[in-house]
């Protein structure tokens, strides 16, 4: 499965989505931009997208909630370790109230992975961040005595958030 992202004006992104009703597309509004996601087994209709391969995921995007993008730069050497951690995760997020969907996205054109979650509202995301499940999911792996873990990150991670924009606005 692939996921593609592109940005533009809300009206243009909305028209693009409406032209392709049989495609899985999610329209969302950020602080300064509108983002359109296209999730597909095939090629995208976007001309110059950010391109990702879905490494792991659960749930189905509903385009009516709150989207959190955890952008994580990973070294080339660190990619297998990073992906292994997600493929062997506990899966606790799926049981959290307000959870909608989750994707781990491998970048095809950069070093920045995206861990994308959709929540029913920002309040549910905040409750998740305060939960024991979150603490457990984000705990550093235990190190064996004297063993030094490699630094798999090529930069600081950062969060971007978006809201699904109601059609009646």
């Amino acid at each position: 499965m692939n996921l593609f992202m592109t940005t533009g004006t809300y009206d243009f992104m909305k028209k693009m989505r409406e032209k392709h009703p049989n495609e899985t597309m999610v329209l969302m509004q950020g602080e300064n931009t509108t983002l359109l996601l296209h999730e597909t087994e095939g090629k995208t209709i976007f001309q110059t997208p950010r391109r990702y391969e879905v490494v792991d995921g659960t749930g189905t995007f509903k385009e009516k909630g709150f989207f959190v993008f955890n952008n994580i730069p990973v070294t080339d050497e660190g990619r297998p370790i990073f992906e292994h951690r997600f493929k062997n995760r506990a899966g606790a997020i799926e049981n959290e109230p307000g959870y909608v969907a989750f994707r781990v996205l491998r970048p095809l054109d950069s070093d920045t992975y995206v861990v994308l979650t959709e929540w029913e509202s920002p309040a549910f995301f905040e409750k998740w961040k305060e939960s024991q499940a979150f603490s457990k999911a984000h705990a550093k792996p235990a190190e064996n005595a004297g063993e030094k873990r490699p630094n798999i990150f090529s930069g600081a991670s950062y969060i971007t958030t978006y809201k699904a924009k109601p059609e009646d606005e």
Side-chain angles (χ1 to χ4, degrees):
M1 181 71 70
N2 296 304
L3 191 138
F4 303 94
M5 301 180 200
T6 194
T7 55
T9 65
Y10 179 77
D11 290 336
F12 183 76
M13 297 289 109
K14 183 179 171 187
K15 285 177 187 162
M16 186 182 299
R17 185 187 62 192
E18 288 169 354
K19 272 191 204 174
H20 303 278
N22 296 327
E23 296 292 331
T24 303
M25 297 183 145
V26 180
L27 182 63
M28 58 189 75
Q29 185 67 47
E31 192 174 310
N32 297 312
T33 190
T34 301
L35 182 72
L36 186 60
L37 301 182
H38 181 206
E39 192 171 39
T40 179
E41 291 286 353
K43 296 185 185 242
T44 187
I45 53 105
F46 303 156
Q47 289 186 0
T48 55
R50 285 182 276 159
R51 304 176 322 127
Y52 299 88
E53 185 176 350
V54 177
V55 174
D56 189 17
T58 61
T60 303
F61 294 123
K62 294 187 179 167
E63 195 178 271
K64 58 181 176 181
F66 179 68
F67 298 85
V68 179
F69 292 69
N70 190 358
N71 303 275
I72 307 169
V74 177
T75 65
D76 285 342
E77 299 82 18
R79 284 176 172 237
I81 298 167
F82 182 81
E83 291 181 20
H84 176 78
R85 287 180 186 168
F86 274 98
K87 288 177 183 171
N88 293 288
R89 65 189 180 81
I93 194 170
E94 288 87 343
N95 300 319
E96 288 297 311
Y99 164 82
V100 176
F102 164 84
R103 299 290 184 280
V104 177
L105 306 174
R106 175 191 299 132
L108 299 178
D109 303 314
S110 76
D111 70 344
T112 304
Y113 281 75
V114 176
V115 179
L116 169 58
T117 54
E118 181 182 2
W119 300 88
E120 290 176 13
S121 73
F124 285 112
F125 173 66
E126 292 302 322
K127 284 181 184 170
W128 155 245
K129 287 190 341 187
E130 296 166 4
S131 73
Q132 285 186 326
F134 178 90
S135 295
K136 186 176 177 185
H138 293 85
K140 302 243 185 265
E143 292 186 32
N144 295 333
E147 182 181 326
K148 192 163 165 93
R149 284 190 354 201
N151 181 13
I152 65 169
F153 304 107
S154 57
S157 64
Y158 59 96
I159 302 275
T160 50
T161 60
Y162 295 84
K163 291 181 182 176
K165 184 144 176 152
E167 296 298 334
D168 56 1
E169 281 188 17

